[in-house]
Amino acid sequence: MLKRLRLGPSSLMLVESALLGLFFVQALRFLIGMLYTRTAGASLLAALNAIGVQPLVDSAPSQAQVNAEIAFTIAMLALPLLAVLLIRWRSVILLPILLMVIGRVLVNQPAGLSATQAAALVVGAGLMYLAFIARWRATLLPLFFVLGLAGDQLIRAAGNTLDPSTFSAGYAPVQLVLSVLVTIIAIAGLLWDRRIPLPPRPHPRYGQIPFWGGLGIGGLLFIQLALLSLPNAVAAKADYDYALLVPLLLVVTLLPAIPGVRGLMRSFIGNFDGGVRGWLWMLLSMLLVVLGTRLNGLVAAAALLAAQFAITLMWWWVVKPLGERDRSLSGIWLLLAAVIFSLLVVADLFTYEAPYVRDFGGNLVFLNDIIPPLLRGFQGMGLAVLILSVFLAALPMTQTRRRIPWDGGTRGATAFASGVVIVAAALGWWLARPPTIRAAPGDSTIRVGTYNIHGGTDEFFTPSLNAIADTILRSGSNVLLLQETEAGRLTSFGVDQPLWLARRVGMD
């Protein structure tokens, strides 16, 4: 079996990429939520201070702190540009790996950097790492995302949709162990790989991310993080059972990682002309997203699951082979991917926040006829933003006509990957199963409460779900009516707040 699986340095690199992919996804989700909440809190504090009101609580960050975090985030997103200069030395891949593992530890135990800045360090270093694996380990780049997203689903199932790895203080020792483990694996894998002569170019292990690949990664990251990789978001859109969707979504997310499945899809898509198959795949994916978000029940859930399978397969198209004389500019196009993803996140934000857009004051009054109307115009355009992201995600596929990157692999690899998918689905089902709710015996009084939880934050937008849960428990309410709840938005860390609160306080 070991010979069939061809265990070697590539196996260590696969484990390394899977864990770093998990770190990247966790940090990116956390970064989006923190930038939103801290910016909103600082803006509210500045508005109160401007009219001479001093808040009684000090949970809001200052504008200077938030400005420093935003500037640091922008600087970190430029890290992949370093790869353009350093990518010829494959040993330098240890630099982004070390930055990622250090940053991921600091997210849980801030020291010198805030948790927001630490998450930005992980994301920026992750983009730099992607440039290196595209150049030296191209076959692992799709698995970086697929396995990272699947791992994120499992951890969120364990936390009832909230990621305990970024919000639980008790997770810090676990993260430290994982970071040390990744570092050891990365060094061992690199030393082992250096003992093997490099094959001449062109070769499947050498690749690059082109311009179209950068657009594709930006679109893929958004559609995955905003909807398709979140079982609770899929459940909310389709009005279907969350506990059932967790294992099913894990299966469709991981199916493309099975070489045999990719081989079957290669045979299927090979029946279409190279000039049209990418566009047909794009239209099919768009149709599935529309059906999944406009219908309800089983049909909608099935459509979104099928969309997740089809769109996850697109990760294999963002890399193209590196020719003998080609120079890798992946770092530049990864920066483009970060810009595209950021713009999609901002557009998605204003599909909800458009009613709260205020006019500019002071020296910026001249923009009031342009910017505020534009931002308010995003209201209700959530589906349009999702469709745009699918369009961008499929562009690399439309531009690749002579090559189908879905390789078949060996029977041993297919069998092993299939076993992993089955185990992951079973674990996801066990973690997401609903708890048994027991009614309080002998209580003839029903207490009904109403609670505006402000999107899971306090009055200054500091995440406070645990404090909200404690308040609910102290209230003694049997029935609770919640307002301003969110079930999977990027800005609220992807948490299904009613589901998490219900399971936290033992209610249905």
Side-chain angles (χ1 to χ4, degrees), residues 237-322:
K237 290 289 186 182
D239 192 19
Y240 203 65
D241 183 62
Y242 162 78
L244 183 59
L245 279 172
V246 170
L248 292 177
L249 194 64
L250 273 165
V251 169
V252 297
T253 300
L254 288 172
L255 273 180
I258 301 176
V261 173
R262 296 199 302 272
L264 289 174
M265 300 311 300
R266 178 188 180 92
S267 300
F268 168 74
I269 204 173
N271 295 318
F272 299 92
D273 181 79
V276 300
R277 60 188 173 217
W279 297 103
L280 290 174
W281 201 266
M282 176 196 292
L283 292 174
L284 173 63
S285 300
M286 288 180 175
L287 176 62
L288 291 170
V289 170
V290 171
L291 291 176
T293 54
R294 284 294 177 259
L295 300 178
N296 291 316
L298 179 60
V299 175
L304 289 176
L305 289 171
Q308 171 67 341
F309 175 71
I311 291 173
T312 299
L313 279 164
M314 294 180 187
W315 286 114
W316 274 261
W317 296 80
V318 299
V319 182
K320 75 172 188 179
L322 187 68

Side-chain angles (χ1 to χ4, degrees), residues 140-259:
L140 293 180
L141 188 141
L143 297 173
F144 171 91
F145 291 106
V146 173
L147 299 179
L149 289 166
D152 180 64
Q153 290 177 31
L154 279 173
I155 290 178
R156 285 177 171 273
N160 295 320
T161 75
L162 182 143
D163 183 0
S165 72
T166 51
F167 284 100
S168 173
Y171 190 83
V174 177
Q175 182 57 53
L176 180 61
V177 171
L178 288 176
S179 293
V180 172
L181 179 63
V182 171
T183 305
I184 294 172
I185 290 174
I187 295 173
L190 183 62
L191 293 176
W192 193 353
D193 188 50
R194 288 180 64 86
R195 297 172 58 185
I196 303 173
L198 287 174
R201 285 194 280 176
H203 189 274
R205 71 173 285 167
Y206 305 129
Q208 60 180 318
I209 298 172
F211 169 76
W212 300 108
L215 294 178
I217 290 174
L220 281 166
L221 276 175
F222 177 80
I223 189 67
Q224 289 290 319
L225 269 66
L227 176 60
L228 292 181
S229 72
L230 279 177
N232 51 291
V234 172
K237 290 289 186 182
D239 192 19
Y240 203 65
D241 183 62
Y242 162 78
L244 183 59
L245 279 172
V246 170
L248 292 177
L249 194 64
L250 273 165
V251 169
V252 297
T253 300
L254 288 172
L255 273 180
I258 301 176

Side-chain angles (χ1 to χ4, degrees), residues 149-495:
L149 289 166
D152 180 64
Q153 290 177 31
L154 279 173
I155 290 178
R156 285 177 171 273
N160 295 320
T161 75
L162 182 143
D163 183 0
S165 72
T166 51
F167 284 100
S168 173
Y171 190 83
V174 177
Q175 182 57 53
L176 180 61
V177 171
L178 288 176
S179 293
V180 172
L181 179 63
V182 171
T183 305
I184 294 172
I185 290 174
I187 295 173
L190 183 62
L191 293 176
W192 193 353
D193 188 50
R194 288 180 64 86
R195 297 172 58 185
I196 303 173
L198 287 174
R201 285 194 280 176
H203 189 274
R205 71 173 285 167
Y206 305 129
Q208 60 180 318
I209 298 172
F211 169 76
W212 300 108
L215 294 178
I217 290 174
L220 281 166
L221 276 175
F222 177 80
I223 189 67
Q224 289 290 319
L225 269 66
L227 176 60
L228 292 181
S229 72
L230 279 177
N232 51 291
V234 172
K237 290 289 186 182
D239 192 19
Y240 203 65
D241 183 62
Y242 162 78
L244 183 59
L245 279 172
V246 170
L248 292 177
L249 194 64
L250 273 165
V251 169
V252 297
T253 300
L254 288 172
L255 273 180
I258 301 176
V261 173
R262 296 199 302 272
L264 289 174
M265 300 311 300
R266 178 188 180 92
S267 300
F268 168 74
I269 204 173
N271 295 318
F272 299 92
D273 181 79
V276 300
R277 60 188 173 217
W279 297 103
L280 290 174
W281 201 266
M282 176 196 292
L283 292 174
L284 173 63
S285 300
M286 288 180 175
L287 176 62
L288 291 170
V289 170
V290 171
L291 291 176
T293 54
R294 284 294 177 259
L295 300 178
N296 291 316
L298 179 60
V299 175
L304 289 176
L305 289 171
Q308 171 67 341
F309 175 71
I311 291 173
T312 299
L313 279 164
M314 294 180 187
W315 286 114
W316 274 261
W317 296 80
V318 299
V319 182
K320 75 172 188 179
L322 187 68
E324 186 176 356
R325 297 184 179 180
D326 289 346
R327 182 183 178 187
S328 176
L329 299 177
S330 300
I332 296 175
W333 307 129
L334 282 165
L335 177 59
L336 173 65
V339 172
I340 294 296
F341 174 76
S342 301
L343 291 175
L344 289 170
V345 170
V346 171
D348 179 68
L349 167 65
F350 284 104
T351 64
Y352 296 93
E353 303 289 344
Y356 302 103
V357 174
R358 293 177 294 181
D359 289 337
F360 294 102
N363 296 329
L364 299 178
V365 172
F366 70 96
L367 295 174
N368 285 339
D369 292 333
I370 304 173
I371 303 299
L374 175 64
L375 296 180
R376 293 180 187 126
F378 280 102
Q379 184 173 4
M381 297 289 287
L383 179 58
V385 176
L386 291 175
I387 294 300
L388 175 59
S389 68
V390 176
F391 171 79
L392 294 170
L395 281 179
M397 199 171 179
T398 65
Q399 302 302 310
T400 307
R401 300 182 178 183
R402 298 182 180 180
R403 180 177 59 91
I404 302 177
W406 294 330
D407 55 307
T410 64
R411 290 184 179 180
T414 296
F416 178 78
S418 300
V420 171
V421 173
I422 293 172
V423 171
L427 182 58
W429 169 83
W430 185 79
L431 292 172
R433 70 194 191 285
T436 301
I437 306 300
R438 295 181 176 87
D443 192 350
S444 59
T445 302
I446 296 179
R447 297 176 181 86
V448 180
T450 177
Y451 194 178
N452 186 318
I453 66 170
H454 197 232
T457 66
D458 67 11
E459 60 267 44
F460 287 103
F461 294 89
T462 300
S464 56
L465 277 177
N466 274 309
I468 291 170
D470 291 338
T471 301
I472 293 172
L473 287 172
R474 289 195 301 269
S475 73
S477 299
N478 304 107
V479 178
L480 199 63
L481 311 176
L482 300 179
Q483 299 87 47
E484 287 198 54
T485 60
E486 299 182 357
R489 284 184 62 194
L490 284 167
T491 49
S492 55
F493 308 94
V495 181

